[in-house]
Amino acid sequence: MKLIFLDIDGTLTAPGENTPPQSAVNAIEAARKAGHKVFLCTGRNPDMLKPLLRFQFDGYISCAGGYVAVGENYSDVLYDHPMTSEQRDTALKALHDSGVFCTIEAYGGSWGDENLGDFLSSQGEGNSELERWRKALAGNLGIKPMSQYDGSPIYKVVIMCQKMEQLDAAKKALGDGFSFVVQDVQVGSSTARCINGEIMDKAFNKGLGVRIIAEKFGVPISETVGFGDSMNDLEMIQTVGFSVCMANGSEKLKSLSDMVCPSVSEDGLAKAFAELKLI
């Protein structure tokens, strides 16, 4: 039995979408029938990944590792580690004071700065995370204005800005306990940049989520397979026994992966499942 871990945006689906290619759905079903277990492994919070759960999975790593659940109706919670309210407030103040656009993600919802949409509309083609947030703000993923935030514990802060220096104050305020997983994306053919990433507690990551699930099912890490497309999949790619990056993914992640498969739009998951004899 293999444990298979799938990122969502840019891997299982086109960024920001909630319906995988039928070939991927068929491959997942066939892999499970062959005795393997398939898990989502995503930066999305449970609320954002909920539309994918109409397809059958054996569990999920959500919030980039901050919340891990398996079993029937995903009721067996293996890990749950939100930020403290003090950490949240410290991060948001430092980021907002530096002109950084933020979204925050709790178990049951996500909230974004009201002017984030204006910032995104001014950017050209970017990476899968930029496309995900464009579609999130359009309503695909149910993101709400920051003014409606209900105080729920959050697991991470998604950040967007134009200069790396805008993150310095938050790094200093939060100290060494948090990871800034950041991608510097060139916007189209221009010289403009978009800094896009996530701030998360170093207590967790996708790789730790993989280890927690492998231990739960008594499966050695050597028997795990992970699929991703961007640098927020790095710890998963470094942890699993065999790693696969999508052709539409980060060039750096491709160089660190055991295999590169066709893009999500070219039935990449199904082709890789077949090549790896998972189906």
Side-chain angles (χ1 to χ4, degrees), residues 186-267:
Q186 182 173 336
V187 179
S189 59
S190 72
T191 58
R193 315 296 295 184
C194 178
I195 309 303
N196 164 234
E198 302 169 325
I199 300 174
M200 298 175 295
D201 196 313
K202 287 183 179 178
F204 61 81
N205 56 58
K206 288 185 177 183
L208 176 62
V210 168
R211 292 188 180 280
I212 288 170
I213 288 179
E215 182 177 350
K216 168 70 176 180
F217 289 97
V219 174
I221 288 295
S222 60
E223 298 303 303
T224 61
V225 184
F227 292 77
D229 75 302
S230 66
M231 290 307 291
N232 59 15
D233 297 312
L234 176 62
E235 288 84 2
M236 174 185 70
I237 291 296
Q238 291 176 326
T239 299
V240 293
F242 192 89
S243 56
V244 184
C245 183
M246 312 302 290
N248 53 274
S250 158
E251 291 303 318
K252 184 172 182 180
L253 197 71
K254 290 178 189 177
S255 71
L256 298 170
S257 299
D258 296 311
M259 172 183 172
V260 176
C261 74
S263 70
V264 62
S265 62
E266 297 174 327
D267 301 317

Side-chain angles (χ1 to χ4, degrees), residues 161-169 171 182-184 195:
C161 58
Q162 293 182 316
K163 297 179 180 179
M164 285 286 192
E165 305 89 85
Q166 290 174 266
L167 304 178
D168 290 346
K171 289 179 179 178
V182 175
Q183 301 182 75
D184 183 358
I195 309 303

